[in-house]
Amino acid sequence: RVDRCGVLFTSESIGYRTNYLCRWWTAYIRQWSLMKNLIHIVDLEVNTIIGVYPEERNSSQLLIINVTVSHILDSMIMSDCLDDTIDYYELESSIIDLVKNRKAHLIEVLAEEIASMILSINAVEKVTVRIDKPGALRASRSAAIELVRTQD
């Protein structure tokens, strides 16, 4: 049999092409399974008790939190099902609950605890947490900490 481009198809050439396509498809799927996805929570504003000085402990202060979560794509990208991925709403709610209930003295400690919580989520490989504390410094817009943590 000859196709419209003039290529002769025999049972042997069809078998070769089928094996080639199967190997190519397997490699393609393997590549997808190794890909990573980044989820960003941007400028999450949370009021909480934070600080080391007594005047800071009397009333809540604004923190601005940015989080980037790197996780492995696996069945997530193929299923289109919320149960197979990281729920942004749940992630945001967990961060808010932690920050409001913790009442930490240092934003560094708070950032570390947020990172640890996120790293406990299945398939998360790496997390970047940045916390800004507006008004903490007189001549600057804010003081901030940014940390990057990975799975061990």
Side-chain angles (χ1 to χ4, degrees):
R1 181 174 165 226
V2 177
D3 73 355
R4 66 178 184 219
C5 297
V7 176
L8 177 64
F9 284 97
T10 64
S11 60
E12 185 178 299
S13 69
I14 291 172
Y16 172 79
R17 288 185 178 108
T18 302
N19 287 337
Y20 172 78
L21 287 173
C22 287
R23 285 193 313 271
W24 178 85
W25 182 248
T26 302
Y28 179 76
I29 294 299
R30 201 173 285 139
Q31 175 188 1
W32 269 103
S33 69
L34 298 175
M35 292 183 72
K36 293 173 183 52
N37 194 19
L38 295 178
I39 294 174
H40 301 278
I41 303 291
V42 180
D43 294 340
L44 174 61
E45 295 185 2
V46 183
N47 285 298
T48 190
I49 303 293
I50 186 91
V52 295
Y53 300 109
E55 60 272 14
E56 292 180 301
R57 308 296 296 168
N58 291 333
S59 62
S60 64
Q61 300 177 66
L62 175 67
L63 296 179
I64 300 171
I65 302 168
N66 288 279
V67 174
T68 300
V69 179
S70 173
H71 66 95
I72 299 171
L73 289 176
D74 194 7
S75 61
M76 300 173 189
I77 198 159
M78 300 299 186
S79 75
D80 198 26
C81 179
L82 185 58
D83 292 337
D84 292 334
T85 188
I86 297 173
D87 184 341
Y88 308 154
Y89 178 78
E90 287 295 321
L91 182 60
E92 179 190 62
S93 296
S94 297
I95 294 168
I96 291 170
D97 288 344
L98 175 66
V99 171
K100 284 191 172 193
N101 294 323
R102 178 58 172 89
K103 297 180 174 58
H105 289 90
L106 301 173
I107 58 175
E108 291 85 350
V109 170
L110 199 53
E112 188 68 48
E113 290 180 1
I114 292 169
S116 294
M117 177 194 66
I118 294 170
L119 283 172
S120 70
I121 298 170
N122 189 28
V124 171
E125 283 194 328
K126 178 176 156 184
V127 62
T128 303
V129 178
R130 178 185 168 109
I131 301 179
D132 286 77
K133 187 177 174 186
L137 303 171
R138 293 181 186 177
S140 301
R141 188 178 55 127
S142 71
I145 177 72
E146 181 173 307
L147 57 82
V148 178
R149 298 292 181 264
T150 58
Q151 288 289 0
D152 295 331

